[in-house]
């Protein structure tokens, strides 16, 4: 069997090649044949540049149908797709590119000059452009191609994608996902969520992250469904298109923003069969408010880049707010104490996962992966959870020092390292505090070395220069010293409590 994920996508559209697969918000419709042909043309370009199976292709472009075709082309050729958040700034990009050593970088025309300089430093031979409107040097090169590139045969453990997560050390790690990981999880999800060719997904998520790129796209492509494609999330756009869609996937912020619209009602959702939430905790009050307003009980699921999706509330059974449902078929979840012993029901411990969905390790950091896996093959997620007597899993916290803002992860260490380096700063601690719109917002608690050196605006402005906007602190507060425990470890829980109301 060919494990190439794209081969499985293609097989779902046999006999339905010409029906609409993707419709943009301005009404342009793309059939599978068109997408498939474009994908083959881009694959021709990649092959012509010498991109071979296993080579990385780093991509920092706007969300567009053309960008989706580029992802598919990488699958098709066996290249490893490395999507990069458009919000990343130069120093961040330099690290990702330097670490992944791609054969090709694709970026938008505006950042081409800067990207060429980064490529040169990393020894990357090719930089092509692709803009949100589908133009650019990659598009021009693809136009000239016949589009007859075959789908490369793959093994299940061949790499398909490389996504970066900063981890607790502040050094970003490349998470290696295989064709087998993505296929297994996609197939599980279409069964669990009842996807069929009749579905139309309203796709409003970014496609540099597991949620929009793998969960959403794989569900559509493996079930022969279709999608309405929005360039980004906007509550009014979503409301406009929900009436012709059946499924919506979002981070909790998307739902709170919909609820903030006074004319969002059950009528808006009349054609919908399923709302899915994940990437950050969905507040019970949001779940209930949504149910009251629309009659829909949002289905919350739990996953992470390293594992794809692990658990989900049921499609047919009871969806319990405040839980992330039951382990997905084929996925084992267990809760262990500090010694690795399984704890009884309802007791909180470290959440571990095993299954075909779990990633193949960290790129060029075998020792890091070894630290995160148990001897019997469970991955230590870094989340704290509990499982009740009925098997429902709840995420009760994280033992990894992570802030999730608007569904995007910020590893405080990365921001702390940057802030600590600013002139006049002695040390800093970065925390997440509750925020009505983003769930959590990044706040830096700073100890100054000298009284006069910095103010809040200076520090925020310096961060904005070098860090993606979502990582930049929304507020900076100054203290004389950071609270520490007897082991001299900064007590972030104390800081989180102290500043819990800062943004409310
Ligand atoms: P990412 O790798 O960006 O998808 O982030 C993964 C992390 O997001 C997980 O390890 C959890 O800490 C968190 N997460 C994802 N889904 C949920 C959820 N439904 N409830 C609570 N936390 C979640």
């Amino acid at each position: 069997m060919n494990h190439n994920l794209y081969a499985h996508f293609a097989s779902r559209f046999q006999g339905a090649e010409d029906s609409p697969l993707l419709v943009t918000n301005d009404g342009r419709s793309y059939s599978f044949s068109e997408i498939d042909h474009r994908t083959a043309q881009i694959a021709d370009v990649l092959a012509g540049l010498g991109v071979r199976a296993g080579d990385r292709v780093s991509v920092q472009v706007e969300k567009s149908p053309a960008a989706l075709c580029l992802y598919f082309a990488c699958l098709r050729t066996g290249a490893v797709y490395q999507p990069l958040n458009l919000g990343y700034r130069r120093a961040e990009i330099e690290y990702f590119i330097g670490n992944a050593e791609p054969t090709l970088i694709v970026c938008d025309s505006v950042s081409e000059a800067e990207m060429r300089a980064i490529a040169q430093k990393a020894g990357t031979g090719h930089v092509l452009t692709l803009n949100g409107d589908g133009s650019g040097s990659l598009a021009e090169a693809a136009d000239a191609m016949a589009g007859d590139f075959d789908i490369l045969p793959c093994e299940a453990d061949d790499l398909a994608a490389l996504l970066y997560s900063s981890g607790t050390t502040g050094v970003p790690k490349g998470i290696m996902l295989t064709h087998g990981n993505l296929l297994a999880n996609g197939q599980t999800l279409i069964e669990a969520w009842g996807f069929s060719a009749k579905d139309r997904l309203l796709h409003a998520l970014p496609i540099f992250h597991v949620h929009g790129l793998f969960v959403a796209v794989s569900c559509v492509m493996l079930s022969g469904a279709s999608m309405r494609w929005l360039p980004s999330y906007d509550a009014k756009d979503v409301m406009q298109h929900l009436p012709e869609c059946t499924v919506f996937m979002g981070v909790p912020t998307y739902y709170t923003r919909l609820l903030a619209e006074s004319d969002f009602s059950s009528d808006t959702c009349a054609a919908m069969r399923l709302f899915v939430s994940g990437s950050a905790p969905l507040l019970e009050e949001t779940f209930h408010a949504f149910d009251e307003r629309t009659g829909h009980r949002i289905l919350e699921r739990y996953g992470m880049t390293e594992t794809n999706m692990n658990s989900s509330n049921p499609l047919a059974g009871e969806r319990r707010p405040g839980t992330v449902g039951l382990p997905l078929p084929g996925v084992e979840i267990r809760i262990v104490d500090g010694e690795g012993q399984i704890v009884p029901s309802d007791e909180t411990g470290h959440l571990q996962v095993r299954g075909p969905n779990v990633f193949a390790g960290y790129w060029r950091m075998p020792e890091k992966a070894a630290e995160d896996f148990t001897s019997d093959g469970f991955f230590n997620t870094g989340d704290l959870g509990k499982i009740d007597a009925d098997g429902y899993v709840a995420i009760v916290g994280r033992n990894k020092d992570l802030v999730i803002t608007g569904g995007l992860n910020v590893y405080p260490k990365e921001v702390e390292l940057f802030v600590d380096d600013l002139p006049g700063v002695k040390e800093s601690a970065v925390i997440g505090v509750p925020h009505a719109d983003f769930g959590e917002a990044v706040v830096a608690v700073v100890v100054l070395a000298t009284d006069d050196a910095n103010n809040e605006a200076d520090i925020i402005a310096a961060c904005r220069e070098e860090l993606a906007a979502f990582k930049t602190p929304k507020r900076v507060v100054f203290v004389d010293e950071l609270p520490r425990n007897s082991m001299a470890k900064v007590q972030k829980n104390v800081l989180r409590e102290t500043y819990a109301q800062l943004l409310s």
Side-chain angles (χ1 to χ4, degrees):
M1 167 165 130
N2 184 359
H3 286 91
N4 190 314
L5 181 62
Y6 190 76
H8 291 263
F9 290 169
S11 71
R12 288 299 308 163
F13 288 87
Q14 269 169 20
E17 290 90 347
D18 296 322
S19 46
L21 160 61
L22 184 158
V23 186
T24 54
N25 60 338
D26 57 9
R28 167 88 165 89
S29 173
Y30 299 79
S31 65
F32 175 75
S33 310
E34 285 171 85
I35 297 265
D36 184 55
H37 180 63
R38 192 56 170 170
T39 300
Q41 287 182 309
I42 298 175
D44 282 338
V45 176
L46 301 189
L49 294 176
V51 176
R52 300 277 169 262
D55 287 353
R56 277 74 57 213
V57 174
S58 304
V59 179
Q60 192 189 32
V61 299
E62 262 177 52
K63 178 181 177 183
S64 69
L68 184 69
C69 290
L70 175 55
Y71 161 51
F72 289 169
C74 289
L75 292 176
R76 192 173 188 132
T77 57
V80 182
Y81 185 68
Q82 186 199 17
L84 296 167
N85 185 338
L86 259 185
Y88 286 142
R89 311 308 294 260
R90 184 178 174 130
E92 297 166 306
I93 294 291
E94 254 180 37
Y95 176 81
F96 296 131
I97 301 280
N99 190 254
E101 295 186 324
T103 306
L104 164 69
I105 300 172
V106 183
C107 63
D108 57 23
S109 302
V110 178
S111 24
E112 185 179 0
E114 189 171 276
M115 205 58 105
R116 283 197 181 280
I118 294 172
Q120 199 176 19
K121 235 169 136 182
T124 296
H126 305 286
V127 177
L128 292 178
T129 58
L130 185 64
N131 301 310
D133 61 3
S135 65
S137 56
L138 174 62
E140 283 159 29
D143 287 343
M145 294 295 168
D148 50 12
F149 194 97
D150 254 350
I151 303 172
L152 192 91
C154 279
E155 299 298 330
D157 55 4
D158 285 343
L159 291 193
L162 188 62
L163 274 71
Y164 277 72
S165 134
S166 296
T168 45
T169 57
V171 178
K173 296 178 282 191
I175 297 162
M176 301 193 287
L177 293 164
T178 65
H179 284 261
N181 292 148
L182 300 178
L183 182 60
N185 211 234
Q187 281 170 336
T188 301
L189 292 178
I190 59 170
E191 287 294 318
W193 296 343
F195 264 87
S196 78
K198 286 195 226 121
D199 276 312
R200 173 159 291 189
L201 173 90
L202 183 51
H203 195 303
L205 288 158
I207 56 167
F208 54 74
H209 184 267
V210 59
H211 199 164
L213 184 63
F214 302 135
V215 181
V217 169
S218 294
C219 280
V220 168
M221 297 304 292
L222 289 172
S223 63
S226 63
M227 54 190 150
R228 172 68 76 166
W229 184 262
L230 304 184
S232 60
Y233 177 85
D234 174 88
K236 291 211 163 35
D237 268 1
V238 167
M239 281 168 55
Q240 187 194 332
H241 293 293
L242 275 179
E244 28 101 6
C245 294
T246 61
V247 184
F248 179 72
M249 294 180 186
V251 295
T253 306
Y254 289 10
Y255 291 105
T256 51
R257 288 191 190 170
L258 278 173
L259 286 168
E261 297 288 329
S262 54
D263 48 349
F264 175 65
S265 70
S266 58
D267 288 346
T268 329
C269 310
M272 290 292 294
R273 71 171 184 86
L274 182 63
F275 287 91
V276 179
S277 176
S279 296
L282 180 73
L283 294 180
E284 289 191 40
E285 67 192 58
T286 310
F287 177 94
H288 290 302
F290 203 85
D291 190 7
E292 263 162 43
R293 182 90 72 92
T294 67
H296 281 276
R297 293 171 72 80
I298 298 172
L299 180 151
E300 186 171 9
R301 71 6 167 226
Y302 157 68
M304 60 196 303
T305 310
E306 283 91 338
T307 63
N308 287 272
M309 298 307 105
N310 298 316
S311 73
S312 169
N313 272 280
L315 185 65
E318 188 197 350
R319 297 183 197 161
R320 285 192 195 167
T323 81
V324 291
L326 305 158
L328 284 161
V331 181
E332 294 168 83
I333 298 184
R334 70 184 185 191
I335 309 291
V336 301
D337 62 18
E339 270 72 57
Q341 298 302 314
I342 294 178
V343 303
S345 298
D346 287 321
E347 260 184 41
T348 298
H350 304 275
L351 193 152
Q352 299 183 335
V353 182
R354 184 166 72 177
N357 51 316
V358 177
F359 73 129
Y362 294 113
W363 175 252
R364 294 185 180 160
M365 290 183 184
E367 73 294 346
K368 284 272 178 293
E371 284 166 18
D372 288 341
F373 281 90
T374 62
S375 54
D376 56 350
F378 276 82
F379 173 64
N380 223 328
T381 59
D383 288 316
L384 299 174
K386 59 184 181 184
I387 304 181
D388 72 14
D390 299 330
Y392 280 74
V393 179
I395 307 298
V396 296
R398 304 168 210 133
N399 68 352
K400 56 190 173 192
D401 186 17
L402 173 68
V403 180
I404 306 185
T405 179
L408 294 174
N409 291 0
V410 179
Y411 288 89
K413 193 78 197 168
E414 192 183 346
V415 183
E416 286 161 7
L417 289 174
F418 179 76
V419 173
D420 289 352
D421 263 0
L422 294 174
V425 171
K426 184 171 166 211
E427 61 174 349
S428 66
V430 166
I431 53 168
V433 305
H435 185 279
D437 194 22
F438 298 124
E440 288 183 305
V442 177
V443 168
V445 183
V446 172
V447 181
L448 292 177
T450 50
D451 292 344
D452 53 358
N454 272 292
N455 62 33
E456 180 172 11
D458 292 335
I459 292 183
I460 291 178
C463 291
R464 196 164 286 143
E465 285 278 301
E466 294 289 328
L467 300 172
F470 69 93
K471 296 182 198 168
T472 296
K474 295 264 176 302
R475 290 291 311 272
V476 177
V477 288
F478 297 99
V479 293
D480 290 337
E481 59 182 48
L482 296 173
R484 291 182 190 275
N485 66 12
S486 54
M487 303 298 290
K489 198 165 152 47
V490 175
Q491 290 169 303
K492 290 215 170 162
N493 50 339
V494 173
L495 292 175
R496 278 191 287 265
E497 267 166 42
T498 309
Y499 298 107
Q501 306 298 326
L502 189 67
L503 295 172
S504 56

